[in-house]
Amino acid sequence: MTGHSDNAESSSESRGTALTPDAFDRLESLFGPIDDELTQHYPGDRIGGQPSHTVYVSAADASAAVPDEWGAAALAILDANPEAFAGLDTADALPLVRDRLGGAPVQDLRFDFEDGYGWRSDAVEDGHARAAGAALSALALDTAGPTWLGVRAKGLAAHERRRGIRTLELVLEGAGGVPDGFVFTVPKLRAVQQVAAVVAVCEELERAHGLPDRALRFELQIESPQAVIGADGTTTLARAITRADGRCTALHYGTYDYSAACGITSAQQSLAHPVADHAKNVMLVAAAQTGVWLCDGSTQVVPTGDPDQVASSARRHFDLVTRSLERGFYQGWDMHPGHLVTRWLATFGFFRQAMLVAAARLGSYLDRQGGEVMDEPATAQALAGVLVRGLDSGAFGIAELQNVAAGIDRDVLRGLLDRSVTVPLG
């Protein structure tokens, strides 16, 4: 019996695999197209360069001075209410917040021609569109200006889309082309087919104005239940991203329109309401590994009034921003200069606290020192993502990061994100 077993094992080793090259060719012919489709639709998360917020300003007030004006107003609110904000600073972030407000307070800016603008005569909106374009062009050239900028035109419904397309065209005319970092927001998405139509709008504008192919990019704003679940029962968002021809940069949640459409009374409408969490969880899953960013919505509660009202409003916004960050929404809307104080305070505090743990764990991973937690490559990738986002926000710098884990720099983090940095076992 032993001899028979030895002969069988020897024979198997000499043969190698029983599958023939033709068999492997057949299998590859089945797997190959699947690989290509997955690579096309799920290229990976786009970590790096995402702004921490988007400031929305009525297009009637469009000006290249908006970021400086908002920064100055935010500093004034901070100086007038030091106790309201000092109590929120758990990571020694207030000095960084002051620097941010006095230097580059706005990372992303939208001039709004939709709900924040309303309906005006065509002549008036035409003038505001050209002025908005000129302001965006000037801001794109400002080294301290927003990295991302653009407009939200009117929506896709039959009664408003011509006006929205005209406004977008006049903004580009006023800007003299497509400013660096330009993106436009598409409000109130309701059907997958609308995304293909928006792509066609981009193509027609590029053709008419002699713009480079694929120069125009857009965000989809999730303000209706139909954007989450369609009439056929499928997830509209997941299909919408694939129809965007690679032009969709982000999904933005619209707090109040979405809540109202779900029948939530005004007093209960909030970023923290269960219907908001459901919509945003679907957004998160639909956008995962597609390279499309996520942006949370806004709050109508602003830090104004007497000291107690300012402190209450500041705490509310701070907690909402922190909650969003904890749930994987690293960007959100700001609708008032006072929101900048709590936006940056919450963002800097979140990433400064996360950095201490993430950098130490990543340092141990790179040194292969185990410690209390044995991290996998996917976890190292996630830890690197936290650190890149923190660096991008300005919560800390490379020197402070390297005080916790020497040897970690942008190149190492980028290698961990795309898994080109490997750590040998043993």
Side-chain angles (χ1 to χ4, degrees):
M1 292 293 294
T2 301
H4 176 76
S5 175
D6 289 344
N7 290 338
E9 183 176 342
S10 174
S11 175
S12 175
E13 288 176 354
S14 65
R15 279 201 320 269
T17 177
L19 292 178
T20 65
D22 285 345
F24 276 107
D25 287 344
R26 181 194 173 207
L27 295 177
E28 282 302 313
S29 71
L30 296 173
F31 282 115
I34 300 171
D35 294 340
D36 292 342
E37 185 172 356
L38 288 172
T39 299
Q40 176 187 353
H41 294 312
Y42 301 101
D45 292 328
R46 187 163 50 116
I47 299 176
Q50 182 176 10
S52 297
H53 68 156
T54 300
V55 163
Y56 270 78
V57 178
S58 171
D61 301 319
S63 163
V66 164
D68 289 342
E69 291 171 351
W70 273 53
L75 280 170
I77 293 171
L78 174 58
D79 290 338
N81 303 275
E83 294 181 0
F85 298 103
L88 303 175
D89 186 13
T90 59
D92 298 322
L94 267 175
L96 293 173
V97 173
R98 285 189 172 278
D99 289 344
R100 170 65 74 174
L101 295 177
V106 176
Q107 280 190 327
D108 189 20
L109 175 64
R110 292 293 170 280
F111 292 137
D112 186 18
F113 289 90
E114 205 227 1
D115 286 349
Y117 180 81
W119 283 93
R120 310 182 187 218
S121 71
D122 284 341
V124 169
E125 184 161 341
D126 287 352
H128 285 155
R130 292 188 177 94
L136 293 172
S137 180
L139 284 167
L141 299 175
D142 183 355
T143 56
T147 305
W148 297 90
L149 40 75
V151 297
R152 179 172 70 169
K154 288 180 171 59
L156 304 174
H159 71 280
E160 59 185 344
R161 59 176 169 256
R162 281 181 177 268
R163 178 64 258 186
I165 294 169
R166 176 177 174 82
T167 294
L168 180 57
E169 183 172 19
L170 292 177
V171 167
L172 295 173
E173 179 184 296
V178 181
D180 288 342
F182 180 83
V183 60
F184 67 95
T185 307
V186 179
K188 297 177 176 59
L189 174 72
R190 297 190 68 198
V192 171
Q193 296 87 340
Q194 289 175 320
V195 179
V198 174
V199 171
V201 169
C202 293
E203 293 170 344
E204 293 297 337
L205 287 172
E206 288 165 354
R207 185 179 300 112
H209 291 269
L211 301 174
D213 289 343
R214 308 181 67 78
L216 292 174
R217 294 169 292 178
F218 56 84
E219 306 156 335
L220 297 174
Q221 195 159 19
I222 310 310
E223 300 179 87
S224 71
Q226 295 80 31
V228 176
I229 300 176
D232 60 357
T234 63
T235 303
T236 306
L237 289 175
R239 298 169 63 205
I241 291 172
T242 65
R243 297 283 187 95
D245 192 32
R247 294 178 186 260
C248 179
T249 62
L251 303 178
H252 286 228
Y253 178 66
T255 310
Y256 299 99
D257 283 88
Y258 190 91
S259 298
C262 289
I264 308 303
T265 62
S266 59
Q268 304 303 319
Q269 293 173 1
S270 164
L271 293 175
H273 193 281
V275 300
D277 284 339
H278 173 262
K280 289 185 287 186
N281 286 336
V282 175
M283 289 169 62
L284 189 149
V285 174
Q289 300 181 341
T290 65
V292 173
W293 288 333
L294 297 172
C295 181
D296 210 344
S298 63
T299 177
Q300 292 176 332
V301 180
V302 298
T304 58
D306 62 39
D308 288 342
Q309 290 174 316
V310 171
S312 175
S313 298
R315 165 58 69 180
R316 179 173 175 77
H317 188 244
F318 178 91
D319 288 345
L320 285 171
V321 173
T322 301
R323 186 180 190 274
S324 296
L325 291 166
E326 291 171 348
R327 285 157 175 75
F329 277 70
Y330 301 107
Q331 183 180 351
W333 284 16
D334 289 327
M335 308 292 286
H336 185 275
H339 288 158
L340 296 186
V341 184
T342 36
R343 169 70 58 187
W344 291 118
L345 196 54
T347 299
F348 289 165
F350 176 85
F351 284 115
R352 287 178 66 79
Q353 291 171 340
M355 183 269 287
L356 298 175
V357 175
R361 284 177 63 178
L362 207 52
S364 296
Y365 173 81
L366 292 170
D367 292 340
R368 217 54 181 171
Q369 291 177 355
E372 295 182 358
V373 182
M374 294 294 289
D375 287 319
E376 300 286 340
T379 304
Q381 186 180 40
L383 293 169
V386 169
L387 297 177
V388 168
R389 294 183 192 281
L391 287 167
D392 285 349
S393 75
F396 51 82
I398 286 290
E400 193 171 2
L401 174 59
Q402 292 179 338
N403 284 338
V404 179
I408 296 181
D409 57 21
R410 286 270 189 181
D411 290 337
V412 170
L413 293 174
R414 180 49 56 188
L416 289 165
L417 286 176
D418 60 24
R419 299 204 185 187
S420 61
V421 168
T422 58
V423 178
L425 296 175

